[in-house]
Amino acid sequence: EFSSAASVLQQEFQEKGLIERMLMSDGGVALYDDGFYNIGVTPTPQDIGVGGKDPFGNPLSFSRQYIMSMLIDPFEVDPCTFIVPFNDKKCKEEPSPQALKNERVAVDGAFKVPILRNVELTGPYFHNGGIATLEQVVQFYNRGGNFRNPEKDPDIQPLGLSSSQQADLVAFLKALTDERVRLEKAPFDHPQLFIPNGHSGDQYQVKSGAFGQTNMALDDWLEVPAIGKNGRNAEGLAPLRPFEWVLQNGGPDLRKASFPGLATPPSPSPAVTNLLLNSDFEAGISDWSSGDTNSSISSDAKTGSKALQMTAYGWLQQNLKASDLIAGKTYTLVVSAKSLTGQSCTVGLAGGGSSSVSASLSFSSSAYSQKSLEQVLPSGIDWAAVYLSSASGTCLFDALTLSSK
């Protein structure tokens, strides 16, 4: 199961039990909840973890419930399974209830051990999300944790691993990724999901009105789009990425959505980002590069007050920023254009790298018409640009936008 906190612990006879008694890193003996460990990520007082209490004041920890003789959760305890038993000669002999209350419990700052399956895709890591990559996780264990908490598990010690040994560990962890999970193919496909994402407002106040109540903050929601049995590729989406990639490339492809109420179906409202500067040509064309063409700003515009006029052979081009090139996102190019002399006027999106993309729109009518195209950006694109080109005649372009969602 790649975790000590999994289903095999449910029954005492199947495993060593839900409670353990052993030596701590400071040399003292203590009880603790098996599968929950303080590994020195943060100082214990900063986050008490399983050492806390539930809303009714009961201890979350099995160990604390045990010494207080208040088994809020049903579980069994067999002292004979303890690494350090209460009595070496009579393992089943427990201390008196009063003596048991004085037993040391090392559960503060302890957190449940997650499974390692697909750990490549589950960052950021540790209970505070303080580590971004698996390489950093291995470095953490190699140095023996961050803090010398008294409750820290004794196994968390400097390991002295070489760089190649650390790389081998990372390679092993990445080998636990199921490619069906990476692509969300059956049986890991899922329906449309909605997750709360804070509240509408800013850092000073939030909007009220959740569930029609004036004293409840209005939730913001994100939509996780439905994925069918054939996986993300069939939906035009890139595979799931490690957390480090998400950090560097603008976050996961989630969409803002209205509240998923029961009475009416949710209506997603995809976040759209305009990727072009001066694309309505009202502010000129200073950010466009050009070649072999005579370009100017014209008042013969379909929308606004200015359009771009290109005469004779040539091209204009605007390169996209690397941060705008996100594989799996849908890029929509929209433009209004006309040809005064009947020759072809072209607007296109092109890109290259280990893969390529090329899509274009053509105009030859003497009256403005609007056209659009959609392109899902494949992985491996290192550069991309929007370009305009004219043949031997005169072309007018207006209201050009390139957006992504």
Side-chain angles (χ1 to χ4, degrees):
E1 289 181 329
F2 291 99
S3 170
S4 62
S7 61
V8 293
L9 288 177
Q10 289 180 354
Q11 299 296 327
E12 177 73 22
F13 66 85
Q14 290 180 317
E15 185 60 41
K16 58 187 179 182
L18 294 173
I19 296 177
E20 181 57 87
R21 188 174 189 263
M22 64 179 293
L23 290 171
M24 295 292 102
S25 60
D26 61 0
V29 177
L31 291 163
Y32 70 91
D33 288 33
D34 205 2
F36 291 76
Y37 300 95
N38 184 322
I39 60 175
V41 173
T42 57
T44 296
Q46 287 189 4
D47 200 333
I48 203 167
V50 78
K53 297 180 179 180
D54 69 16
F56 305 100
N58 302 312
L60 297 173
S61 162
F62 296 138
S63 298
R64 285 223 168 99
Q65 292 181 32
Y66 172 57
I67 67 168
M68 295 170 67
S69 300
M70 50 181 299
L71 303 187
I72 308 300
D73 298 294
F75 60 91
E76 301 173 1
V77 177
D78 182 357
C80 291
T81 63
F82 292 161
I83 293 177
V84 181
F86 293 121
N87 187 319
D88 290 333
K89 296 181 179 179
K90 298 179 180 180
C91 67
K92 285 189 175 294
E93 185 174 296
E94 294 180 318
S96 67
Q98 186 58 43
L100 191 60
K101 288 183 179 179
N102 295 324
E103 275 286 312
R104 178 186 175 189
V105 174
V107 295
D108 291 344
F111 292 84
K112 188 175 182 180
V113 178
I115 63 171
L116 293 182
R117 295 186 185 279
N118 304 300
V119 69
E120 178 187 4
L121 306 174
T122 60
Y125 304 103
F126 298 146
H127 72 268
N128 65 343
I131 288 185
T133 69
L134 291 177
E135 287 78 7
Q136 293 168 350
V137 168
V138 172
Q139 291 167 9
F140 167 90
Y141 284 109
N142 193 45
R143 63 177 176 266
N146 292 339
F147 295 92
R148 296 180 179 178
N149 298 329
E151 305 85 357
K152 191 170 76 168
D153 187 276
D155 288 335
I156 306 300
Q157 300 288 342
L159 302 177
L161 299 177
S162 67
S163 58
S164 63
Q165 288 173 322
Q166 293 181 59
D168 288 345
L169 272 176
V170 172
F172 166 74
L173 293 171
K174 290 183 177 180
L176 299 178
T177 302
D178 188 327
E179 291 304 314
R180 297 172 302 172
V181 170
R182 193 191 306 276
L183 296 172
E184 293 189 301
K185 298 180 73 170
F188 302 105
D189 50 326
H190 57 77
Q192 182 188 45
L193 304 171
F194 290 86
I195 54 177
N197 186 43
H199 302 287
S200 299
D202 55 28
Q203 65 268 40
Y204 301 108
Q205 61 183 359
V206 294
K207 297 178 181 178
S208 62
F211 305 102
Q213 302 294 318
T214 57
N215 63 342
M216 296 184 69
L218 191 65
D219 291 295
D220 279 339
W221 293 85
L222 293 177
E223 176 204 4
V224 181
I227 303 295
K229 66 178 182 179
N230 294 320
R232 297 178 64 86
N233 289 348
E235 308 291 340
L237 297 173
L240 295 177
R241 307 284 191 171
F243 178 69
E244 182 182 26
W245 187 95
V246 173
L247 271 182
Q248 296 173 352
N249 292 274
D253 186 19
L254 302 180
R255 306 166 181 170
K256 288 186 177 180
S258 61
F259 173 67
L262 299 178
T264 57
S267 54
S269 177
V272 176
T273 303
N274 189 7
L275 305 181
L276 294 182
L277 299 174
N278 301 344
S279 53
D280 59 356
F281 307 109
E282 304 298 310
I285 53 174
S286 59
D287 57 316
W288 293 77
S289 57
S290 64
D292 302 324
T293 189
N294 182 8
S295 303
S296 60
I297 300 299
S298 170
S299 59
D300 183 0
K302 180 182 180 182
T303 61
S305 59
K306 297 178 182 178
L308 170 69
Q309 179 172 302
M310 296 178 64
T311 303
Y313 292 99
W315 54 267
L316 263 79
Q317 176 176 307
Q318 185 179 136
N319 294 323
L320 303 185
K321 295 184 297 183
S323 59
D324 288 331
L325 302 178
I326 303 177
K329 279 203 169 186
T330 300
Y331 290 71
T332 302
L333 182 65
V334 181
V335 65
S336 294
K338 66 178 180 179
S339 172
L340 296 184
T341 49
Q343 283 81 10
S344 179
C345 306
T346 304
V347 182
L349 173 66
S354 59
S355 58
S356 63
V357 61
S358 179
S360 63
L361 300 168
S362 181
F363 301 82
S364 57
S365 172
S366 59
Y368 270 115
S369 62
Q370 184 183 74
K371 297 182 181 180
S372 65
L373 62 83
E374 287 191 346
Q375 175 70 49
V376 176
L377 200 68
S379 57
I381 296 294
D382 297 329
W383 66 269
V386 171
Y387 66 91
L388 311 173
S389 66
S390 63
S392 57
T394 299
C395 299
L396 283 162
F397 303 97
D398 194 19
L400 171 63
T401 62
L402 176 70
S403 59
S404 69
K405 65 178 181 180

